[in-house]
Amino acid sequence: FGHSIDPRFGFVWTPTAESAVRASVGSTFQSPQLPTFIVPTSAQPIPVVAGYASIGNKGATAERSTEYDLGYERLFALTGHDVHASLDVYRTDLHNGVATFYGPKQCTTDTVTLAGIASGLYPDCLSYPVNVTREVYQGVELRTQTQLTPGLTLLASYDIDSAYIQSFPPSAADGVVPFEQDLGVPLHKIALALEDEGPRFSYYAGLLYEGDYNELNLPPYATLRAGMTWHVRSCDLTLAGENLTNAYDFLYTRAGGGVPYGALPAPIATDAYPLPGRRVTFIVTHKM
């Protein structure tokens, strides 16, 4: 697509030995994927799917954005325990995001050609990627790490990740509702983990919560993982469990079974995706 110069400026200020303030601003880009530029020849048949014939766009270019970040971190000493906490606020403004342009009419045949559309044999039912949308990614990330004992650590995090489209031309709307959270980006995410690293025995347990708009297209859920390891001479014996809550273990994709996603003129159905079911694994590792 050409070349790009993307400067970034940042600084860190340490008002005390236990604290730091960070800030940065810069630009970045994401180059188009190779299929974006693939355009069939004028006589090559193009399959029609859901009323439109999809092709590439040789005029597409890189997506460009401006990123801002402000963070603060501090080391606390509370009742004999060290607590490391950090807070980050970020925003990314995407200036020319890729959306799909749809022609004014739908196809009435199973295949079309570019020559046929140009001559009027077929209606203008092409769809192709264009750099037209303005999007925003912003959020807050809070992280804490507490040393409960010399070997025992408690970790906690809370994320708010807001992602939405600000504006787009009507020809590329595709039913999108402005300022609605992007599907597949959970608005809220919480993680808790407990880890103990001992010379003879170690263990861990972790809980993950994902809110609305998660990548499963399902209501909010939580999963639990845990494990323990015995260190016996030159061997490690590990017992590990994943998704111990057995959340959303329905084995196969449920077509249309997800939470409906807001769109115009009416919400659209989404597919519900499962998680791998409860799994317990025993692992023996021999150190040479």
Side-chain angles (χ1 to χ4, degrees):
F1 69 91
H3 63 276
S4 178
I5 298 176
D6 294 276
R8 177 171 295 275
F9 170 78
F11 75 91
V12 177
W13 174 45
T14 53
T16 68
E18 296 81 19
S19 61
V21 178
R22 307 181 306 274
S24 67
V25 59
S27 63
T28 186
F29 74 96
Q30 179 170 315
S31 59
Q33 300 299 307
L34 183 59
T36 301
F37 299 110
I38 299 177
V39 178
T41 62
S42 60
Q44 183 178 348
I46 308 169
V48 174
V49 179
Y52 291 94
S54 299
I55 63 173
N57 178 8
K58 292 183 179 180
T61 186
E63 296 179 298
R64 302 183 184 277
S65 62
T66 306
E67 299 179 346
Y68 311 89
D69 183 86
L70 179 64
Y72 176 74
E73 60 181 299
R74 179 159 184 170
L75 183 64
F76 300 90
L78 303 177
T79 63
H81 303 300
D82 289 337
V83 179
H84 181 205
S86 64
L87 176 68
D88 281 275
V89 180
Y90 72 90
R91 179 182 173 102
T92 298
D93 290 314
L94 182 59
H95 307 300
N96 61 336
V98 172
T100 303
F101 170 85
Y102 289 90
K105 297 181 179 180
Q106 290 192 343
C107 301
T108 55
T109 58
D110 293 335
T111 61
V112 297
T113 63
L114 294 180
I117 292 175
S119 66
L121 179 62
Y122 307 113
D124 184 1
C125 56
L126 294 176
S127 68
Y128 46 86
V130 287
N131 297 84
V132 291
T133 67
R134 296 182 63 86
E135 301 179 41
V136 171
Y137 302 87
Q138 61 185 6
V140 178
E141 300 176 351
L142 175 63
R143 302 278 186 273
T144 62
Q145 178 175 322
T146 307
Q147 202 71 33
L148 301 176
T149 67
L152 184 61
T153 304
L154 175 65
L155 301 102
S157 65
Y158 175 54
D159 294 359
I160 301 176
D161 296 310
S162 177
Y164 55 88
I165 291 179
Q166 273 188 315
S167 63
F168 45 80
S171 58
D174 190 21
V176 174
V177 177
F179 303 101
E180 181 176 13
Q181 178 75 359
D182 287 350
L183 195 61
V185 181
L187 186 58
H188 301 279
K189 186 181 291 185
I190 300 173
L192 294 172
L194 192 66
E195 301 176 356
D196 189 1
E197 289 289 341
R200 293 294 180 183
F201 176 75
S202 60
Y203 64 88
Y204 69 89
L207 180 72
L208 174 65
Y209 166 86
E210 291 199 5
D212 293 321
Y213 301 97
N214 57 71
E215 59 270 22
L216 305 181
N217 298 334
L218 289 167
Y221 68 93
T223 59
L224 176 67
R225 62 183 181 88
M228 57 188 70
T229 300
W230 292 268
H231 307 288
V232 182
R233 295 184 181 178
S234 60
C235 290
D236 287 344
L237 309 177
T238 301
L239 184 65
E242 298 291 332
N243 194 12
L244 296 177
T245 53
N246 216 31
Y248 293 138
D249 174 27
F250 45 82
L251 301 181
Y252 56 89
T253 299
R254 293 176 177 171
V259 176
Y261 186 63
L264 297 174
I268 58 175
T270 63
D271 296 336
Y273 300 106
L275 286 172
R278 183 185 296 114
R279 182 173 68 254
V280 178
T281 308
F282 181 67
I283 304 171
V284 178
T285 304
H286 178 64
K287 301 176 182 178
M288 303 297 291

